[in-house]
Amino acid sequence: MPIPLTQCRTPRRVLQVITPSRMSGAEMQLVRMTPRMVARGHAIATIVKHNSPAIAEMCRLGLTLHPRRISGKINASALFVLSSAAREHRAEIVHSTLSTASWSSGWLERFGGPPSIGHVQGFTSALWHRHQTHLLAVSNAVKQDLVRQGVPPERCTVLHNAMSPDDFYATRDPLIVRAEHGAEADTPVVGTFAHLSRKKGHYDLFAAMPAVLRELPKTQFWIVGQGKLWRELHDIAEKTGVMNNVRFLGFRRDVADLMNAIDVMALPSQREPCALVYVEAALSRKPCIACRSGGAPESIEDGRTGLLVPTDDSAAIAESLLSLLTNRDRSARMGQASYERAVGLFGWDRFIYTLEQVYERVLDESAANRKSNERKAA
């Protein structure tokens, strides 16, 4: 159920730090979160590494950034850069996103800077967060991974990424979008939206394509995203004879329009922490196919909002795709159920309520520790 937001207890001065290598889910989450927090009275400044390829896109989406030379985990000057930024902003708390930002923010805290919170967006080493007061995990799966690495459970709060229908909606007729890619109204279309990297499960998806096409030869597969596997996936499509059914669409800004035009979203990542694309599909009323691993089972309710398959099982992917593509009524029911679930579970009110509670807890603990240390010194 949605959590109704009450008045913000105390607006806080927050220094956000992010070190992105590309425009992806973590960056979009920051872009969408920041104006909502500012609207609640929080004063937020956002530091980003100066050479990030994501800067232009984040600025285009309306986020005000302060580029600084904080690249690399072996970068002693980053500590001084962040210390200066924290003083300039009079930051009460540092909220970091991605491992390099968290590593530097933790050291800043260790040397007397503001308490820091690390926003853990994936399966990563707990080492990068060893000096931070508290961690936010984007799924229970990510939290359990951190706990297995020795992070005390009470030092980590699960905070699923948020999105609302206002964040993600189509603006074009899906039939027009389909026609642009050679798909008719009744053409089965499978969409995959992700960076083209090994962990996203593209190999398994491409291995499933021939079996799907034997039953539904008109099916199209829209591959949205760019990355190192681009050439290799082209070669696989050529060798397996599926190239005519695959559309490599690259990086797109009209993802909502594309999502609205497909029938099924498939992202069989081997270990997805908590992909925003699953929520985007839900808000587009599309059923998802994903692997039963990582945080995917928290985003997709198997058999109700989508289908979960074992990892490294292209046969199961093909079977699941065929079961949804050949039963439009079932797909529509799943899509509607996924929309209703997403609005409640991944809404912004729940996200902001939890985040503000963590801010208050961290600041209260920091104040108590400071008083304790002062008494000991006296």
Side-chain angles (χ1 to χ4, degrees):
M1 292 292 292
I3 296 176
L5 281 179
T6 58
Q7 184 176 358
C8 181
R9 172 179 158 186
T10 306
R12 296 299 182 181
R13 302 191 65 83
V14 182
L15 183 69
Q16 293 180 157
V17 185
I18 185 169
T19 47
S21 58
R22 60 179 179 270
M23 191 66 192
S24 190
E27 293 73 32
M28 281 303 306
Q29 188 68 183
L30 197 73
V31 167
R32 291 165 174 158
M33 175 188 76
T34 303
R36 287 176 165 90
M37 294 295 283
V38 170
R40 286 182 59 75
H42 301 287
I44 296 179
T46 304
I47 304 295
V48 62
K49 67 176 183 179
H50 74 286
N51 56 351
S52 171
I55 289 177
E57 187 67 10
M58 293 173 79
C59 289
R60 187 189 72 82
L61 292 169
L63 189 63
T64 300
L65 299 173
H66 303 280
R68 296 290 186 272
R69 294 182 178 277
I70 57 173
S71 302
K73 294 183 175 70
I74 305 176
N75 179 2
S77 66
L79 181 62
F80 299 99
V81 171
L82 292 182
S83 178
S84 175
R87 287 195 304 272
E88 180 181 345
H89 185 59
R90 294 180 288 118
E92 299 173 90
I93 199 163
V94 176
H95 184 162
S96 64
T97 302
L98 304 177
S99 61
T100 299
S102 296
W103 179 241
S104 298
S105 298
W107 277 109
L108 176 63
E109 176 178 350
R110 181 72 180 271
F111 285 107
S116 67
I117 296 171
H119 208 145
V120 188
Q121 295 276 349
F123 297 105
T124 188
S125 173
L127 168 69
W128 310 127
H129 306 278
R130 63 186 297 184
H131 300 307
Q132 296 193 284
T133 295
H134 202 80
L135 303 181
L136 298 168
V138 294
S139 65
N140 285 289
V142 169
K143 177 175 179 175
Q144 292 309 311
D145 183 66
L146 292 167
V147 170
R148 280 192 291 272
Q149 295 182 63
V151 175
E154 64 275 10
R155 191 177 149 231
C156 187
T157 299
V158 174
L159 182 62
H160 290 106
N161 283 330
M163 192 181 300
S164 76
D166 291 338
D167 292 320
F168 194 80
Y169 55 90
T171 60
R172 301 175 64 213
D173 186 323
L175 293 180
I176 294 177
V177 176
R178 280 173 162 258
E180 290 174 351
H181 303 290
E184 299 175 351
D186 62 346
T187 300
V189 178
V190 178
T192 300
F193 302 75
H195 185 252
L196 304 186
S197 60
R198 188 175 297 271
K199 64 183 179 181
K200 293 297 184 180
H202 290 91
Y203 289 144
D204 294 328
L205 176 65
F206 274 66
M209 289 180 186
V212 173
L213 292 172
R214 280 194 293 271
E215 299 294 326
L216 297 172
K218 290 177 59 179
T219 303
Q220 286 190 9
F221 296 87
W222 294 0
I223 308 301
V224 182
Q226 57 190 16
K228 294 181 179 180
L229 292 188
W230 190 88
R231 183 67 266 167
E232 187 174 353
L233 293 176
H234 272 71
D235 291 342
I236 291 172
E238 290 282 7
K239 291 176 182 177
T240 57
V242 303
M243 180 58 88
N244 288 340
N245 296 81
V246 179
R247 305 290 184 267
F248 288 95
L249 303 184
F251 173 79
R252 300 288 292 241
R253 292 194 172 107
D254 59 342
V255 170
D257 291 334
L258 294 170
M259 188 77 78
N260 190 48
I262 67 172
D263 296 301
V264 176
M265 205 289 289
L267 182 62
S269 296
Q270 297 170 355
R271 199 181 181 210
E272 190 65 47
C274 185
L276 272 175
V277 71
Y278 295 141
V279 185
E280 291 174 345
L283 293 177
S284 302
R285 293 179 170 85
K286 306 299 177 182
C288 288
I289 293 174
C291 288
R292 193 179 291 106
S293 65
E298 298 171 47
S299 301
I300 300 164
E301 188 175 342
D302 190 26
R304 181 169 176 267
T305 68
L307 297 175
L308 298 175
V309 301
T311 56
D312 302 317
D313 192 338
S314 59
I317 295 171
E319 181 181 351
S320 296
L321 284 170
L322 286 169
S323 72
L324 294 179
L325 294 174
T326 58
N327 191 333
R328 297 294 181 102
D329 290 340
R330 185 189 186 202
S331 293
R333 288 195 301 272
M334 281 189 172
Q336 182 59 33
S338 65
Y339 177 86
E340 294 169 359
R341 184 172 185 266
V343 169
L345 183 59
F346 300 105
W348 279 107
D349 284 0
R350 181 185 295 273
F351 181 99
I352 291 173
Y353 173 84
T354 303
L355 182 58
E356 290 181 344
Q357 292 290 107
V358 170
Y359 281 179
E360 294 305 320
R361 173 183 168 185
V362 167
L363 289 169
D364 289 346
E365 289 178 359
S366 178
N369 290 336
R370 186 167 57 250
K371 289 180 181 178
S372 176
N373 291 335
E374 289 172 354
R375 284 195 297 269
K376 291 177 181 178

